[in-house]
Amino acid sequence: MHYLPIFLRIQDRPVLVVGGGQVAVRKVTMLLRADAHVRLVAENVDPALTRLLEGAEHTIATRSFEERDLDGVTLVIAATDNEDLNQHIYELAHARHLPVNVVDNPGLCDFIFPSIVDRSPVVVAVSSSGQSPMLARLLRARLETFIPSGYGRLASLLGEARNKVKALIPDMGVRMRFWEKLLNGPVAEQMMAGKESEAEQLLDEALADVDADVQGEVYLVGAGPGDPDLLTFRALRLMQQADVVLYDRLVTEEILNMCRQDAERIHVGKQRKQHTMPQQDISRMLVDLAQQGKRVLRLKGGDPFIFGRGGEEIAELAAHRIPFQVVPGITAASGCASYAGIPLTHRDHSQSVRFVTGHLKDDTCDLNWPNLVQDSQTLVFYMGLVSLPIICEELIRHGMTRDKPIALIQQGTTPHQQVYTGTLATLPGIIARSDVKAPTLIIVGDVVKLHDTLKWQ
Ligand code: SAH
């Protein structure tokens, strides 16, 4: 290890910055985030610095550096473009045993600025010891995606309870288990979901009953249309902490493999005409598992609230007073439309979009067709593959032109995506002659014409 990683308190302490350009702006910005008092010395001062250092606790001297500038400061940063001057500052600071950082010159640095992920009060610092700041930045960006923004709020909440917990649970081992349970349970979850007062209340309850059993909970999570990159950060986090996963056919193997490795997996089916498990049984199972104290993940294709029966499942949970949360996902319409280059709305072609189920009861048409046939509107049919000929026929019968563009997207956003386009008159024939695989989505409207120019090459 070339440097000792420490976090230095510089709040209200004077820090000297020599140099008035963009580099100084970056350093000063960081110093201000840690509430330092900045003493800036530079012959030319960037106006951004003047703005940043407006407060009375900061000073700006518009002149060249003098040795007395080092008097009484805690840290020194040399950010000039004059190498000799930087070297001079380094030597003077060194002689006074003052930690000094010469920007972009690792050889002249007693300390360096790491790349940081700031979830104050949680801060993660990454450094390549000055070897490759770019690599450190890249790593930081990766960490950024792993550390949800709610961590800062969570740390503050737990920080407030720290002394109380210490007094309540003197045994360190027991205390650690208590914290662990808290960090993996509803308190942390509520906090991440931005529900601070609920989290505080749960924390109070946990403190009032430190021996209580863990309460189970359910996460109703939208897994998006297929491409794992379209998962949300929250979906991924919950997938990695659930004890048991209930999933259906729309969830791809790739996404399923991103769940916690030792989580129990239960396939609850849902295939056309062969509903492997009736909806009431699924809802009942969610309740039972949560009542056993498990963290249950109900993973659904697309968005749980769009043709996902999510409402029914959470109604059952609410009736049994089981904590739950719903995580939206990218619905098939958004995913397929983007990946196929078909904007769902467009200033010139479509001012509204309708999501319609194409799953017609007993193959009869119980849709309000006249209502669907409107100008400047995009129609998106979910579950419409089998009914495609009826859909086209009825739309024409109710006044849509036979040459209205229509697309059918197979397995959208996955490597198996296929887009078939035609008109209301031609597409059913094209599909009948093709080997189409579910799931498929149908888009009707003039926006489909844009597919040829906007599709990915
Ligand atoms: N809740 C889901 C929809 C469930 S209904 C969502 O928001 O996307 C199931 C229907 O969704 C399928 O019949 C199909 O029409 C559509 N669908 C889901 N994923 C799809 C995909 N990757 N490509 C095309 N259609 C898809």
Side-chain angles (χ1 to χ4, degrees):
M1 209 155 61
H2 291 103
Y3 293 83
L4 176 71
I6 56 169
F7 288 84
L8 193 67
R9 180 194 281 283
I10 56 163
Q11 191 177 28
D12 300 334
R13 308 219 176 130
V15 175
L16 174 67
V17 179
V18 187
Q22 277 306 309
V23 182
V25 172
R26 281 207 303 278
K27 298 299 177 203
V28 164
T29 306
M30 282 305 286
L31 293 170
L32 294 182
R33 276 164 76 173
D35 294 326
H37 291 183
V38 175
R39 293 187 190 170
L40 187 92
V41 178
E43 285 173 27
N44 297 307
V45 178
D46 190 300
L49 283 167
T50 321
R51 272 197 303 280
L52 282 171
L53 299 175
E54 255 169 5
E57 66 276 29
H58 310 297
T59 59
I60 298 180
T62 318
R63 54 164 170 77
S64 50
F65 166 78
E66 293 168 15
E67 186 174 351
R68 66 183 163 102
D69 292 327
L70 296 168
D71 294 348
V73 301
T74 309
L75 288 179
V76 179
I77 294 163
T80 80
D81 46 16
N82 178 336
E83 277 183 30
D84 292 340
L85 176 58
N86 284 346
Q87 174 82 32
H88 180 56
I89 296 170
Y90 174 80
E91 281 162 11
L92 290 176
H94 221 237
R96 294 181 181 215
H97 306 292
L98 275 173
V100 56
N101 173 290
V102 175
V103 176
D104 280 341
N105 192 337
L108 299 185
C109 282
D110 294 324
F111 67 94
I112 50 181
F113 284 83
S115 285
I116 61 165
V117 180
D118 188 358
R119 302 280 186 270
S120 287
V122 175
V123 177
V124 182
V126 183
S127 148
S128 65
S129 305
Q131 302 297 304
S132 171
M134 202 52 218
L135 179 70
R137 245 173 271 158
L138 196 101
L139 259 174
R140 184 201 67 88
R142 295 210 175 144
L143 286 171
E144 192 86 49
T145 62
F146 282 120
I147 305 172
S149 57
Y151 267 34
R153 293 194 300 271
L154 181 63
S156 301
L157 177 73
L158 301 186
E160 283 162 26
R162 205 170 150 198
N163 287 334
K164 203 165 167 188
V165 173
K166 218 169 184 172
L168 276 171
I169 317 173
D171 183 285
M172 200 169 107
V174 180
R175 206 159 61 227
M176 275 175 65
R177 274 202 302 283
F178 174 82
W179 284 127
E180 197 179 84
K181 202 166 86 178
L182 222 64
L183 283 169
N184 288 313
V187 172
E189 267 324 310
Q190 294 292 337
M191 205 64 187
M192 301 293 186
K195 298 184 182 165
E196 296 191 20
S197 52
E198 281 89 341
E200 277 167 28
Q201 195 185 332
L202 285 169
L203 176 61
D204 285 344
E205 284 167 19
L207 287 171
D209 188 4
V210 285
D211 298 324
D213 281 334
V214 200
Q215 188 179 20
E217 56 184 334
V218 175
Y219 317 130
L220 183 59
V221 174
D227 183 346
D229 276 4
L230 296 179
L231 283 171
T232 61
F233 291 146
R234 192 185 297 172
L236 187 61
R237 189 159 43 73
L238 297 175
M239 285 162 69
Q240 288 177 349
Q241 74 176 41
D243 302 308
V244 46
V245 184
L246 274 71
Y247 65 99
D248 48 50
R249 184 185 53 97
L250 280 177
V251 177
T252 60
E253 188 68 28
E254 233 180 324
I255 288 182
L256 207 55
N257 286 338
M258 293 166 91
C259 292
R260 209 176 91 195
Q261 285 306 311
D262 55 347
E264 185 187 349
R265 292 179 187 188
I266 304 175
H267 179 76
V268 291
K270 289 279 180 79
Q271 225 144 358
R272 211 187 126 77
K273 298 229 166 113
Q274 108 190 37
H275 288 237
T276 345
M277 194 182 278
Q279 186 61 51
Q280 315 84 288
D281 290 5
I282 299 177
S283 302
R284 184 69 240 166
M285 195 176 215
L286 292 174
V287 171
D288 287 348
L289 288 165
Q291 281 174 340
Q292 292 164 25
K294 300 215 163 109
R295 287 165 298 178
V296 188
L297 177 78
R298 174 70 176 109
L299 199 55
K300 285 178 162 299
D303 181 277
F305 278 2
I306 296 181
F307 302 125
R309 305 190 75 170
E312 293 161 57
E313 292 179 8
I314 57 173
E316 190 78 12
L317 298 171
H320 288 83
R321 301 189 156 280
I322 289 171
F324 65 84
Q325 57 173 295
V326 183
V327 181
I330 291 184
T331 189
S334 292
C336 294
S338 296
Y339 280 49
I342 302 174
L344 291 176
T345 64
H346 191 285
R347 275 168 69 98
D348 301 333
H349 306 291
S350 168
Q351 274 66 54
S352 68
V353 55
R354 307 266 305 256
F355 293 173
V356 187
T357 171
H359 182 74
L360 310 180
K361 270 194 206 127
D362 310 321
D363 292 339
T364 58
C365 63
D366 56 356
L367 287 176
N368 185 344
W369 297 106
N371 193 277
L372 294 179
V373 179
Q374 283 178 28
D375 282 344
S376 305
Q377 174 171 263
T378 307
L379 298 176
V380 180
F381 287 90
Y382 286 69
M383 300 169 279
L385 179 59
V386 173
S387 325
L388 177 70
I390 302 180
I391 291 172
C392 292
E393 198 183 300
E394 292 291 344
L395 289 175
I396 294 170
R397 205 156 70 84
H398 288 85
M400 223 179 239
T401 59
R402 295 172 57 78
D403 58 1
K404 181 65 77 184
I406 173 169
L408 183 138
I409 299 141
Q410 159 192 307
Q411 300 177 331
T413 79
T414 75
H416 312 292
Q417 172 172 306
Q418 289 279 349
V419 182
Y420 301 89
T421 55
T423 64
L424 289 180
T426 61
L427 193 71
I430 297 172
I431 296 304
R433 290 189 295 276
S434 312
D435 179 24
V436 175
K437 297 201 175 59
T440 63
L441 191 87
I442 298 163
I443 304 181
V444 184
D446 293 336
V447 286
V448 171
K449 284 189 284 200
L450 300 165
H451 164 69
D452 281 335
T453 40
L454 300 184
K455 69 185 171 199
W456 287 4
Q457 297 307 314

